[in-house]
Amino acid sequence: MVKSQAHYALSEDIEADADFSGFECRWNQIPSAKEVTFSLLVKPRCVTPEQTFAWYREFLQALLRFMGNEQQHHPLNEKGLNLSFSASKINAEALTKAQPLSSWNVWRMRWKIRLENAVGWYWLTYKKHVNGVDWGGYKQDLIKNTDYIKLDDVYRTVMSADQKSLNALLAWLEEARQQGRVFYGCHQTHSAIITCLVAQTGVEHVHFVDSAEGGYAMAAKQLKAQIKAATL
């Protein structure tokens, strides 16, 4: 409705009032522990809730068969988690958080983020215990607190896999699509990206993951194209 009906659109001159405190993106891209990282969207074409539940049971069994368990398919891995000192990433966060926005505040925020990253690198590298937090175990804690599977009207996930296993899963999904049972979209790349929401550093944090170079947005293009083709 927002996209198709003009009266839902906000005026360009409306004053924005958003709170971005706690949002961070201070990690480099996380290379796949296997051959590929992929974003997958799967939408069953069922009529009744009972049919939908039955489809998801079948799909999850196939997912386990092709992708393995959580340890085998998780999109993140400790070795690949490295703090970023990229100027572009630091600048993006600084521009978001420097309020009121001014050259001085942006400059100060950039250096604050660089300093926090340097301290974080030291704590992680040397496995320090600071303020009750075991930084030697933080990467594993981050992985556990990553939101990489979602289910509403569409099953959404980001996983790591070898190419042969992913091809087998996609072949299974394509057969189901041709039978009129499902729509799906998949984007394949080399790495995952994460955005972090940190309420208390090292203690309360959740992480949202996607694959690099388009992720869910690119997968959604394939999904929408299948839906459109089915309605023609």
Side-chain angles (χ1 to χ4, degrees):
M1 292 172 69
V2 170
K3 291 180 179 179
S4 63
Q5 300 183 35
H7 69 271
Y8 285 106
L10 296 177
S11 170
E12 291 184 3
D13 58 2
I14 192 170
E15 183 177 350
D17 182 19
D19 180 3
F20 293 102
S21 59
F23 276 102
E24 299 176 1
C25 190
R26 298 186 181 180
W27 299 90
N28 288 317
Q29 293 185 1
I30 301 93
S32 176
K34 296 187 176 179
E35 294 178 327
V36 62
T37 295
F38 64 95
S39 295
L40 179 68
L41 303 174
V42 179
K43 183 178 180 64
R45 300 179 65 180
C46 302
V47 177
T48 67
E50 291 75 18
Q51 291 174 335
T52 302
F53 295 149
W55 155 256
Y56 276 127
R57 281 194 293 271
E58 182 182 350
F59 169 64
L60 292 175
Q61 288 172 359
L63 202 62
L64 185 63
R65 185 166 69 251
F66 295 121
M67 295 293 107
N69 59 31
E70 181 176 345
Q71 278 190 319
Q72 295 170 309
H73 66 231
H74 201 289
L76 305 185
N77 60 89
E78 288 190 61
K79 183 179 178 181
L81 280 167
N82 294 292
L83 286 170
S84 176
F85 290 87
S86 162
S88 61
K89 289 178 75 70
I90 290 173
N91 194 53
E93 184 177 340
L95 287 169
T96 302
K97 291 185 174 179
Q99 299 297 330
L101 191 61
S102 68
S103 297
W104 162 247
N105 283 339
V106 172
W107 181 88
R108 186 173 62 175
M109 183 59 70
R110 285 196 196 106
W111 280 102
K112 179 177 182 290
I113 294 169
R114 287 191 181 102
L115 178 60
E116 289 175 349
N117 278 10
V119 172
W121 175 88
Y122 176 77
W123 288 350
L124 288 166
T125 302
Y126 294 98
K127 305 183 187 305
K128 295 295 182 179
H129 285 74
V130 182
N131 297 328
V133 178
D134 174 14
W135 288 94
Y138 181 76
K139 288 184 179 181
Q140 188 58 45
D141 195 37
L142 184 154
I143 291 171
K144 290 179 180 177
N145 287 348
T146 296
D147 180 24
Y148 78 102
I149 296 176
K150 305 175 181 67
L151 178 61
D152 40 46
D153 61 326
V154 176
Y155 183 94
R156 312 162 196 270
T157 190
V158 179
M159 292 183 177
S160 180
D162 60 73
Q163 193 67 61
K164 182 179 179 180
S165 297
L166 177 56
N167 290 345
L169 174 63
L170 293 177
W172 186 88
L173 284 169
E174 178 60 21
E175 182 178 357
R177 184 190 70 82
Q178 292 180 9
Q179 293 170 350
R181 303 173 65 204
V182 68
F183 298 120
Y184 71 94
C186 182
H187 171 68
Q188 304 180 41
T189 184
H190 47 75
S191 303
I193 55 175
I194 54 175
T195 299
C196 311
L197 179 56
V198 180
Q200 184 179 351
T201 302
V203 180
E204 295 181 26
H205 50 102
V206 64
H207 308 271
F208 306 97
V209 66
D210 201 354
S211 61
E213 301 178 331
Y216 281 129
M218 297 302 294
K221 284 189 173 184
Q222 182 184 4
L223 177 73
K224 290 177 180 179
Q226 291 180 3
I227 295 173
K228 183 177 180 180
T231 57
L232 293 178

